[in-house]
Amino acid sequence: MRQLYIGGSWTASASDEPVEVVNPATEEIIDRVPAGSPDDVEAAANAARTAFPEWSRTPAAERGKLLADAAELLKQRSDEVAKIIATDMGAPLAFALRVQTLMPATVLASYAELAGSYPRESRVGNSLVVKEPIGVVAAITPWNYPLHQIVCKVAPALAAGCTVVLKPSEVAPLAAYALAEIFDEVGLPPGVFNLVSGRGPVVGEAMAAHPEVDMVSFTGSTAAGRRVAALAAESVKRVALELGGKSANIILPDADLALAVKVGVANCFVNAGQTCSAWSRMIVQRDQYDEAVRLAVEVARGYRVGDPFDQATKVGPLVSAAQRDRVIRYVNRGQEEGARLVTGGTERPHERGYYVEPTVFAGVEPGMTIEQEEIFGPVLSLIPYTTEDKAVEIANGTKYGLAGAVWAGTEEHAVAVARRLRTGQVSVNGGRFNPLAPFGGYKQSGVGRELGEQGLEEFLEVKSLQL
């Protein structure tokens, strides 16, 4: 069984209970990590508190240099890390390399630069306004992007001058261990970064409630986010939450329908649909609806489901048996409520592994369960609309507001509609994801922002000195 990383060294957990790490493509146990305990959290939080004064006073350029070294080492080891991610969470290898590994390296490098370039002081009349690190940060991260979501929290926190206690998901924790090894190798001072593996109700809750933790940054389900916020509220900690989504892809009548459908299906099915910002609702004008359904089915049937290490695979397994079963329940629920299954379904495409066929529903109406709730699997719902106003109403008609897309004949038209969406980011005519732009949600999709300058600001306190 692996160890924890606390105070700059690999340390045995106070708990002897293991968490088995399972390869979702083969259902085989590939590793074991500690099911950490509150005593482990106590040790890690105290190590982070002890390290904070010196780290917060370390020159920003020096902090940036350490992050830059870590980013470079991650790039050098990208093939190895991508294989780890493909094995313990099932992402196809090419995707695990390009998005799950190299994009976090880009984000890490961006905060290496921002550590020194972000202005920490300004004058307002007779006041000097300064921005200072908030303190000890508890970072609780999910399994779907097991390295990216860690870097989105840890990199800006370290750049700001904070120290960190990380709890990665116990479902896919191995990328976190790879990052801890990199931080150790580049010489991050003891206690600045600490890793405690384990389960949310034990380790995560102990971190959120710990008196030495000044801030909690959490990514996961909305239900778990509420629990984290409630625990943090007892000691009035700052909380950043990146939660669920049910993002809409609006295709306006003057758009390139074939392109919009093709890209929309790809976005919905990427990472086997296990993406909080996935465009899982395709909203199409009624006159074009039947053609959009036909195109979506054609595209979906071209997605090969299989081994993450097979170059032809586009959709790997879901991360666990529990996640597969959850998705199957939603597919059954969609049919029970009257939606029309036009491709995919509940048949298992392979005897072994937690696979689900890419699935498309037509005849989906606003208010149906599959239209309202986050499924977190390769399931797309097509919803017809009559007017542009109705399309916007449908798009805004869930409790979430994380992402979305608008396609139109002109950028001006698409931007005008995008401005009406109550969501944190919108792709305009296929605009690519930008890892340097702020990411986060409206409504029950969360509180706060990650990435870019706004992501750094989450970890800073503001003080004014009246001169």
Side-chain angles (χ1 to χ4, degrees):
M1 185 166 70
R2 291 177 181 253
Q3 295 183 313
L4 308 177
Y5 187 74
I6 298 175
S9 62
W10 293 101
T11 306
S13 171
S15 166
D16 58 5
E17 180 187 354
V19 174
E20 294 177 341
V21 182
V22 176
N23 180 334
T26 65
E27 305 184 35
E28 297 171 343
I29 297 170
I30 56 172
D31 211 331
R32 289 174 175 84
V33 300
S37 71
D39 288 342
D40 296 322
V41 173
E42 177 77 11
N46 287 336
R49 175 58 63 196
T50 299
F52 174 69
E54 184 173 352
W55 179 248
S56 64
R57 293 193 297 266
T58 299
E62 188 175 328
R63 293 198 300 266
K65 175 64 165 55
L66 287 167
L67 292 177
D69 291 346
E72 182 58 34
L73 196 52
L74 177 56
K75 289 177 185 176
Q76 292 175 16
R77 297 182 182 175
S78 58
D79 288 339
E80 171 191 341
V81 174
K83 289 176 183 176
I84 290 171
I85 294 172
T87 302
D88 81 344
M89 69 79 54
L93 184 59
F95 181 81
L97 176 62
R98 187 181 73 257
V99 175
Q100 297 269 24
T101 306
L102 291 178
M103 186 165 68
T106 297
V107 172
L108 195 51
S110 76
Y111 283 111
E113 182 178 345
L114 276 171
S117 65
Y118 182 82
R120 300 294 184 99
E121 298 183 0
S122 61
R123 286 294 296 263
V124 180
N126 71 310
S127 297
L128 177 65
V129 179
V130 298
K131 297 179 180 179
E132 301 175 340
I134 196 167
V136 175
V137 174
I140 304 172
T141 58
W143 46 259
N144 60 324
Y145 288 85
L147 181 59
H148 177 68
Q149 291 302 133
I150 289 171
V151 170
C152 285
K153 301 178 186 304
V154 172
L158 297 182
C162 300
T163 55
V164 176
V165 180
L166 167 69
K167 190 204 87 67
S169 169
E170 69 276 17
V171 178
L174 302 185
Y177 277 83
L179 183 65
E181 291 166 0
I182 287 172
F183 281 150
D184 185 71
E185 190 165 330
V186 300
L188 208 62
V192 171
F193 171 82
N194 305 272
L195 167 63
V196 181
S197 59
R199 298 183 175 90
V202 178
V203 174
E205 293 201 4
M207 287 167 59
H210 200 282
E212 291 294 350
V213 170
D214 300 295
M215 176 182 175
V216 183
S217 181
F218 171 85
T219 296
S221 71
T222 297
R226 291 193 195 99
R227 176 63 177 162
V228 166
L231 289 167
E234 291 296 320
S235 51
V236 198
K237 302 183 197 307
R238 184 183 297 181
V239 176
L241 302 173
E242 202 271 276
L243 307 176
K246 193 67 182 176
S247 300
N249 178 18
I250 297 177
I251 304 175
L252 298 170
D254 57 343
D256 182 333
L257 181 65
L259 178 61
V261 170
K262 179 181 178 181
V263 176
V265 170
N267 182 282
C268 182
F269 292 165
V270 72
N271 209 36
Q274 299 169 129
T275 302
C276 55
S277 57
W279 309 340
S280 55
R281 296 183 297 149
M282 185 177 291
I283 302 174
V284 185
Q285 209 273 340
R286 191 171 293 278
D287 291 342
Q288 298 178 318
Y289 185 76
D290 290 344
E291 176 64 7
V293 171
R294 185 192 69 77
L295 289 167
V297 169
E298 181 181 311
V299 174
R301 287 178 177 168
Y303 276 64
R304 179 170 174 176
V305 179
D307 181 354
F309 287 88
D310 184 338
Q311 292 184 354
T313 293
K314 285 192 173 182
V315 177
L318 298 185
V319 76
S320 65
Q323 186 63 21
R324 177 199 60 200
D325 294 346
R326 166 191 166 92
V327 173
I328 293 300
R329 286 195 297 272
Y330 273 110
V331 173
N332 287 328
R333 184 70 175 272
Q335 294 177 88
E336 291 165 4
E337 293 185 2
R340 181 163 51 94
L341 184 67
V342 289
T343 193
T346 60
E347 294 295 324
R348 294 184 64 174
H350 300 285
E351 289 185 8
R352 282 197 315 167
Y354 309 128
Y355 293 96
V356 173
E357 287 281 2
T359 297
V360 177
F361 277 103
V364 179
E365 297 294 335
M368 286 184 174
T369 300
I370 60 171
E371 192 268 340
Q372 287 287 306
E373 297 185 12
E374 184 176 46
I375 297 173
F376 228 58
V379 181
L380 174 65
S381 295
L382 277 89
I383 307 150
Y385 71 87
T386 50
T387 67
E388 193 171 287
D389 287 344
K390 187 64 178 177
V392 171
E393 179 185 325
I394 293 169
N396 288 335
T398 75
K399 65 184 179 182
Y400 298 112
L402 186 56
V406 178
W407 298 79
T410 66
E411 182 177 294
E412 182 182 17
H413 186 190
V415 167
V417 174
R419 289 180 181 275
R420 300 174 64 188
L421 301 187
R422 298 283 295 164
T423 190
Q425 46 279 151
V426 184
S427 169
V428 172
N429 284 342
R432 295 190 306 274
F433 178 77
N434 181 359
L436 306 181
F439 181 92
Y442 288 25
K443 299 187 283 184
Q444 292 190 33
S445 284
V447 178
R449 292 295 180 268
E450 295 182 334
L451 301 176
E453 289 189 1
Q454 290 81 3
L456 180 65
E457 289 165 355
E458 292 290 334
F459 299 96
L460 296 171
E461 287 280 25
V462 179
K463 176 187 293 182
S464 61
L465 308 178
Q466 277 57 258
L467 306 180

